[in-house]
Amino acid sequence: MEDAILRAAQPSDLAHVLEFWQTAAENDSRPVDTRAAIEALVRRDPEALILAVEDGRVVGTIIAGWDGWRCHLYRLAVAPDRRRAGLGGRLINAAEQRLRDLGGSRADAMVLDANERAHGIWAAHGYHPQNEWSRWVKPLT
């Protein structure tokens, strides 16, 4: 196995990303990801979806969103057979560097309270829950 290459997603990757998220990402408490939604993300911000690709397959993802004011991290996922090997940390570091390069000064990460597996990696990279805030959501469709 070669080392994973980190790069921005291309339109030709998107079907593979959606398939990857079905097995490697937490999906129980979220709306279903669609091809149209991920295409819109890449069209709007071609560098936002960062992939880890190893031996031609997607083995990790993170979305580093920047709205011009705030930095947001979403969809950190690592293939089950590649976990605990530093790949998640590499993805977080790449996302943070992208956000710094854009002028960001603080990032938040969307991490489900019940996803205890994810808490360790985020904490190891300096993130912590912000108890005084709650996320309020409303479906638009």
Side-chain angles (χ1 to χ4, degrees):
M1 235 187 281
E2 63 185 50
D3 286 337
I5 296 168
L6 303 188
R7 63 170 176 79
Q10 303 298 312
S12 60
D13 295 317
L14 302 184
H16 301 290
V17 170
L18 287 171
E19 183 178 314
F20 170 75
W21 282 343
Q22 290 302 307
T23 59
E26 194 289 319
N27 295 300
D28 295 338
S29 301
R30 57 184 305 113
V32 174
D33 294 302
T34 66
R35 179 72 184 246
I38 196 172
E39 285 173 348
L41 168 68
V42 171
R43 189 171 44 253
R44 182 184 179 282
D45 187 351
E47 303 293 316
L49 175 54
I50 301 169
L51 304 182
V53 179
E54 189 174 79
D55 294 330
R57 78 176 176 120
V58 175
V59 294
T61 64
I62 194 166
I63 297 173
W66 165 252
D67 61 15
W69 185 42
R70 298 278 192 239
C71 307
H72 308 284
L73 300 175
Y74 309 90
R75 281 315 229 176
L76 174 63
V78 174
D81 65 328
R82 295 294 290 120
R83 291 181 182 153
R84 313 273 320 148
L87 189 53
R90 287 183 59 205
L91 285 161
I92 291 171
N93 291 338
E96 289 174 346
Q97 188 58 54
R98 175 182 193 265
L99 297 171
R100 276 189 213 94
D101 291 346
L102 290 168
S105 61
R106 183 182 80 168
D108 64 55
M110 300 304 298
V111 185
L112 290 171
D113 292 339
N115 189 356
E116 294 181 9
R117 288 186 324 196
H119 297 178
I121 190 166
W122 288 108
H125 284 83
Y127 291 80
H128 62 277
Q130 193 171 10
N131 296 328
E132 62 273 15
W133 291 79
S134 295
R135 181 176 182 214
W136 293 34
V137 299
K138 175 186 174 183
L140 297 177
T141 57

